[in-house]
Amino acid sequence: MTAEGRPWFQRLRESLTRTRDQLAIRLEALAGRAIDDTYLAELEEALILADMGAATAMEVTSRLRAARGLRTTADVQAALRRILLDLTGPAVPFQVEPPPAVVLALGVNGSGKTTTIAKLAYRLRGEGRKVLLAAADTFRAAAIDQLAIWAQRVGVEMVRHQPGGDPGAVVFDGLQAMRARGMDVLIVDTAGRLHTKVNLMEELRKLNRIIARDAPPTVERLLVLDAATGQNAISQARLFHEAVDVTGIVLTKLDGTAKGGIVLAIARDLKLPVKFLGTGERLDDLTPFDPEAFVDALLPQ
Ligand code: GDP
């Protein structure tokens, strides 16, 4: 079956409806017009409005300008598809092999981090893996309780300490428990207060060092970003990446935004792979990132 026929592709297409419709309206307005500088300037504006970022949009149109033989809207669409695919780059899969693997979940409060951890745990458990959660956002009692509710709902165990405790101690216990209980994956929740606070980044560096010292064979440092925050997500990513060397992005709330183009800005400006897309609030609303499916769902047919 092609991607088009699959339920996850339908969900992805649905999630990108607002972004795609906005692009479609603008492409339709350009249909039949000569593909000249004015045309390309208007197309560039449409790409910026889809939150691809000014630099990415400019690169797309300059590549279109350099392409030969573009006569019809269909030609432009086909070239656009090729360029966007090229800028998105190849898929970099989420890695939990070989076990035991640690997933350090990062992101500012409200980005959808807790929900993403639950979705990931649900997915990994569905694949037959033994999953353990560590509630290392000890700064908020509510964060620990929220994670505990999800752990119960998904049916996985969780390591927790008292609110106000040392997050490093939670990670340490989580790592020990993972080995002692023969778990495959430990997912660590972390604090997400304002990312501009230097002490948060210090704290995350510390957690990262504790994990590195334990030397699990596989480590993912996943940054959760809310697609609706658009270009802000890019500056958040820079700060987190500087602190802990992010290995992948989870872009959440794609379903509620017209800013789906942010994926291109992440790939091009940050050179960080998007590994999952959040397409809703349900446990199965987490789609592994597939560049071709993404570009096909983004562009109007
Ligand atoms: P945290 O503070 O980063 O841990 O954020 P939460 O996981 O508590 O999520 C904040 C809100 O975003 C909640 O209402 C979630 O249901 C919602 N949310 C998370 N991911 C998605 C998504 O992919 N799509 C939609 N529509 N909502 C989401």
Side-chain angles (χ1 to χ4, degrees):
M1 210 197 290
T2 59
E4 279 72 10
R6 294 183 192 271
W8 65 261
F9 182 78
Q10 288 312 322
R11 194 81 184 97
L12 178 65
R13 249 187 89 75
E14 254 172 63
S15 291
L16 285 165
T17 301
R18 290 183 57 196
T19 312
R20 188 175 54 249
D21 284 357
Q22 189 173 280
L23 274 174
I25 291 168
R26 283 161 188 275
L27 283 170
E28 263 164 41
L30 289 168
R33 298 231 323 248
I35 299 160
D36 53 14
D37 283 348
T38 320
Y39 179 106
L40 290 172
E42 282 176 38
L43 181 62
E44 194 172 299
E45 199 184 304
L47 300 177
I48 292 173
L49 280 170
D51 241 293
M52 274 179 211
T56 310
M58 205 188 290
E59 176 157 357
V60 172
T61 46
S62 67
R63 287 202 199 184
L64 278 174
R65 193 173 281 117
R68 286 161 187 269
L70 299 184
R71 281 186 196 88
T72 63
T73 310
D75 294 340
V76 174
Q77 288 234 28
L80 194 55
R81 183 180 185 278
R82 278 195 305 274
I83 296 166
L84 294 185
L85 258 180
D86 189 45
L87 290 177
T88 309
V92 180
F94 173 65
Q95 197 56 262
V96 284
E97 289 288 336
V102 178
V103 179
L104 188 63
L106 310 151
V108 301
N109 289 343
S111 59
K113 181 156 43 77
T114 315
T115 316
T116 298
I117 291 170
K119 290 174 178 178
L120 265 181
Y122 174 76
R123 183 179 184 87
L124 292 167
R125 192 173 178 266
E127 291 169 0
R129 298 176 204 274
K130 286 184 262 170
V131 181
L132 180 66
L133 306 186
D137 179 1
T138 55
F139 298 101
R140 289 185 305 158
I144 305 176
D145 293 341
Q146 194 62 33
L147 197 67
I149 292 169
W150 277 117
Q152 196 175 28
R153 217 175 277 170
V154 177
V156 297
E157 293 174 48
M158 179 174 119
V159 172
R160 65 188 289 176
H161 286 193
Q162 291 300 318
D166 173 17
V170 180
V171 172
F172 186 80
D173 279 359
L175 289 163
Q176 286 225 320
M178 171 170 72
R179 298 205 192 268
R181 300 181 203 172
M183 294 287 174
D184 299 310
V185 188
L186 173 72
I187 309 179
V188 180
D189 185 23
T190 60
R193 292 157 308 158
L194 265 187
H195 59 277
T196 43
K197 290 206 180 130
V198 176
N199 58 353
L200 172 61
M201 293 305 156
E202 267 316 309
E203 192 65 52
L204 297 176
R205 275 195 197 98
K206 200 173 97 190
L207 300 186
N208 201 23
R209 278 199 300 273
I210 293 170
I211 293 166
R213 211 161 51 214
D214 191 76
T218 315
V219 180
E220 283 272 5
R221 288 172 296 271
L222 283 189
L223 175 62
V224 179
L225 296 173
D226 176 346
T229 59
Q231 297 299 312
N232 260 341
I234 302 286
S235 37
Q236 280 171 27
R238 286 211 170 90
L239 283 163
F240 278 92
H241 190 40
E242 229 176 72
V244 295
D245 199 7
V246 169
T247 59
I249 303 282
V250 181
L251 197 65
T252 63
K253 309 185 199 180
L254 203 62
D255 49 310
T257 176
K259 297 171 188 274
I262 193 72
V263 168
L264 273 305
I266 292 170
R268 183 189 170 280
D269 299 354
L270 300 171
K271 307 265 180 288
L272 282 175
V274 174
K275 295 201 171 174
F276 288 103
L277 299 174
T279 56
E281 296 182 89
R282 295 189 330 231
L283 279 171
D284 59 357
D285 285 327
L286 187 72
T287 309
F289 185 66
D290 174 329
E292 281 206 38
F294 174 78
V295 172
D296 284 344
L298 180 74
L299 290 176
Q301 297 303 309

